[in-house]
Amino acid sequence: MTSPLPAPVPCVGVVCLRGDDVLLIRRGRAPMAGAWSLPGGRMEPGERATEAALRELREETGVEAEITGLIDVVDGIFPEAGRHYVLVDYAARWLSGEPTAGDDALEARFVPLDQVETLVDWDETRRVIRLAVATREG
């Protein structure tokens, strides 16, 4: 069976926690332009996944963090946009910096965890955030 979609694109996402807040960005590009999501993006050739995650976090938000573990690998299949992403999502602990939207993010801010369910549309993003919270240290 032939798919109308191109080959999957490897990407990373970061659930950056600071206390009872999670760092979110509002997407500036398709798919899901305007939606609240995790900072992240495409891996570059020769780049390790954790390096890509921290780079994307810096580029989109200006925040520095420490990766604390792998959360999950998620397929982002968006036929309407003609895209299939394989998202490697990491948990991270905030180290420094206040969020400032950069790269392709329209907005970046820490959001109280109790607001995630109403702010974030994609159920996979909400699920990954819940997993990160459930498995965080302390």
Side-chain angles (χ1 to χ4, degrees):
M1 179 173 171
T2 316
S3 171
L5 296 175
V9 176
C11 296
V12 292
V14 182
V15 179
C16 181
L17 299 171
R18 180 175 75 177
D20 289 329
D21 295 337
V22 63
L23 182 57
L24 296 178
I25 57 117
R26 197 160 55 86
R27 294 185 49 79
R29 296 185 189 162
M32 298 180 3
W36 286 97
S37 188
L38 298 172
R42 295 179 184 189
M43 293 174 60
E44 295 180 357
E47 188 175 40
R48 294 182 185 277
T50 54
E51 293 168 354
L54 293 174
R55 175 186 53 77
E56 285 287 344
L57 182 67
R58 267 191 309 279
E59 288 177 2
E60 289 191 339
T61 70
V63 166
E64 297 289 334
E66 170 186 34
I67 299 291
T68 58
L70 174 67
I71 303 170
D72 202 357
V73 177
V74 175
D75 283 291
I77 300 173
F78 304 99
E80 68 284 356
R83 301 269 168 47
H84 178 182
Y85 299 106
V86 175
L87 306 160
V88 181
D89 288 321
Y90 290 98
R93 180 176 39 250
W94 174 85
L95 294 176
S96 65
E98 288 303 316
T100 303
D103 197 23
D104 63 346
L106 296 175
E107 197 174 340
R109 64 180 162 116
F110 279 101
V111 172
L113 289 168
D114 63 5
Q115 293 179 18
V116 168
E117 294 295 320
T118 56
L119 193 61
V120 175
D121 293 331
W122 195 30
D123 57 345
E124 281 297 292
T125 300
R126 293 191 308 265
R127 184 184 67 81
V128 166
I129 292 169
R130 285 192 303 269
L131 283 171
V133 170
T135 59
R136 72 177 158 182
E137 299 170 358

